[in-house]
Amino acid sequence: GKHTVNLDNKMADVRVKPFTLDIGIKFELHVSISGKKINVSEVPELSIPDEWMRDKLELNFYKSEQRGGGEIENVNYDKHSRTAVITFLRPG
């Protein structure tokens, strides 16, 4: 709808319009694979809590089950070295 706001003692008519927020973040990972673990390097530095980054990594590799991913046992993420080790429940 329409609104009137006071900006430095001047009235301005404004109209509210919906928009879409682009909150998704795309980034590239470098991966080394062994039987049950994946070593991930060059994890980008993002201003999100470490727990959120672990969740993002887990979801990424869990969702890619058809491409060699699968159920995750553990995600060990080190923000300082920008690396992670993802351990799967089953070798694959």
Side-chain angles (χ1 to χ4, degrees):
K2 293 182 180 180
H3 299 277
T4 301
V5 294
N6 184 345
L7 300 171
D8 294 329
N9 296 321
K10 293 189 180 194
M11 301 306 281
D13 292 326
V14 295
R15 180 179 299 250
V16 178
K17 292 186 178 182
F19 65 95
T20 304
L21 288 175
D22 295 326
I23 59 173
I25 300 170
K26 293 183 180 182
F27 52 86
E28 181 178 325
L29 300 172
H30 297 264
V31 177
S32 301
I33 301 173
S34 70
K36 197 175 173 186
K37 293 184 179 186
I38 293 178
N39 296 319
V40 181
S41 61
E42 298 183 39
V43 176
E45 292 182 45
L46 302 176
S47 58
I48 61 174
D50 290 1
E51 184 177 312
W52 291 8
M53 180 60 82
R54 279 191 290 277
D55 290 346
K56 285 183 170 296
L57 289 165
E58 181 173 349
L59 286 171
N60 182 67
F61 287 98
Y62 182 81
K63 287 194 303 188
S64 60
E65 191 167 348
Q66 66 275 11
R67 296 182 312 226
E71 197 168 348
I72 307 293
E73 180 179 313
N74 184 48
V75 175
N76 185 353
Y77 168 63
D78 183 350
K79 185 175 191 168
H80 299 294
S81 66
R82 298 177 48 213
T83 61
V85 176
I86 292 127
T87 306
F88 295 93
L89 284 177
R90 295 177 299 281

